[in-house]
Amino acid sequence: MATLEIFISFFFFFFLPHVASASCGASKCTHGGPRVRFPFWLTNRQDSRCGYPGFGLTCDYERKQTTLTLSSTSGDFFVHSINYRDQIVSINDTTGNGCLIKRFLGQEISLADSAFFYNNGEHYEFFNCSPKAEQVLAYYTPVSCLSSDDSKVIAVPSLTSGPPVPSDLCSVMMSKVLVPVDSGPYFPPNRLSGKILTLVFGWYGSTLIVVSRYCEAIHRACRLQNATSLHMRLKKYNLYI
């Protein structure tokens, strides 16, 4: 911790930033939406110096959502939550059918040229089952947006205590697929079955990570000195230090 404090002190002592005209405190697009603060910023509400390049979010006032554009090919996604301590952002689908898992399996979600990467996750095996496979379908709720009346798709985690999948009623679609979702004992095995799936991403940048974690630790808001520099200023309530 002492090393981190020395680094930050050195960082701010030699690079004195100027005051930006826009407020860079935490903000929200909607009352129940995620709190947006450095390194994220709201492109249609805040100055670009309030965040870091590649972390711009947008308020979709019509749909009352906070949106993130990963790339020109992937399109927009709703931001479900942002964990600043662990540096994780969760996203949901914005399309009408809400089938984010289908877009993920079809490799329609590209993180190329973005500041994000897939953060951990869990391995799944996807099966196409007959409706007659009642026992396994009762345990693993079918992924509704991938299923039909005659074909039920289930996602079975690699570590499971559930019933075996009958080979005479189910066929393997995809095996050992790493899906970047929250994992652990408190998440049910059928969490991929809903129309909305939350994918979990982390973000890159060693210096960015150090500084943003420092800002979180001391409960201060950060911002860039200019559009290309990581020289920041801390502020608390309207008092600059």
Side-chain angles (χ1 to χ4, degrees), residues 2 8-9 30 32 37 42 74 109 150 165 233-234:
I8 295 295
S9 299
T30 62
R37 58 182 181 269
L42 295 175
S74 299
I109 302 177
D150 301 323
V165 179
R233 182 139 193 163
L234 306 178

Side-chain angles (χ1 to χ4, degrees), residues 141-220:
T141 305
V143 182
S144 56
C145 63
L146 297 179
S147 302
S148 64
D149 292 339
D150 301 323
S151 175
K152 305 297 181 182
V153 175
I154 60 173
V156 180
S158 56
L159 300 177
T160 180
S161 57
V165 179
S167 59
D168 58 327
L169 296 175
C170 301
S171 59
V172 178
M173 292 176 57
M174 303 179 73
S175 61
K176 295 184 179 179
V177 179
L178 180 62
V179 182
V181 294
D182 287 323
S183 59
Y186 300 106
F187 292 91
N190 63 344
R191 62 182 175 273
L192 299 187
S193 63
K195 291 184 178 180
I196 297 179
L197 169 72
T198 297
L199 297 184
V200 182
F201 302 108
W203 60 75
Y204 289 110
S206 57
T207 304
L208 174 61
I209 288 175
V210 169
V211 176
S212 57
R213 281 183 177 170
Y214 176 79
C215 296
E216 283 298 301
I218 62 174
H219 306 291
R220 304 292 175 91

Side-chain angles (χ1 to χ4, degrees), residues 134-146:
E134 296 178 357
Q135 182 182 9
V136 73
L137 292 178
Y139 189 84
Y140 300 107
T141 305
V143 182
S144 56
C145 63
L146 297 179

Side-chain angles (χ1 to χ4, degrees), residues 98-106 126 143 145-146 179 192 194 197:
C99 196
L100 186 56
I101 185 61
K102 182 177 182 180
R103 296 177 65 183
F104 174 76
L105 295 176
F126 289 81
V143 182
C145 63
L146 297 179
V179 182
L192 299 187
L197 169 72

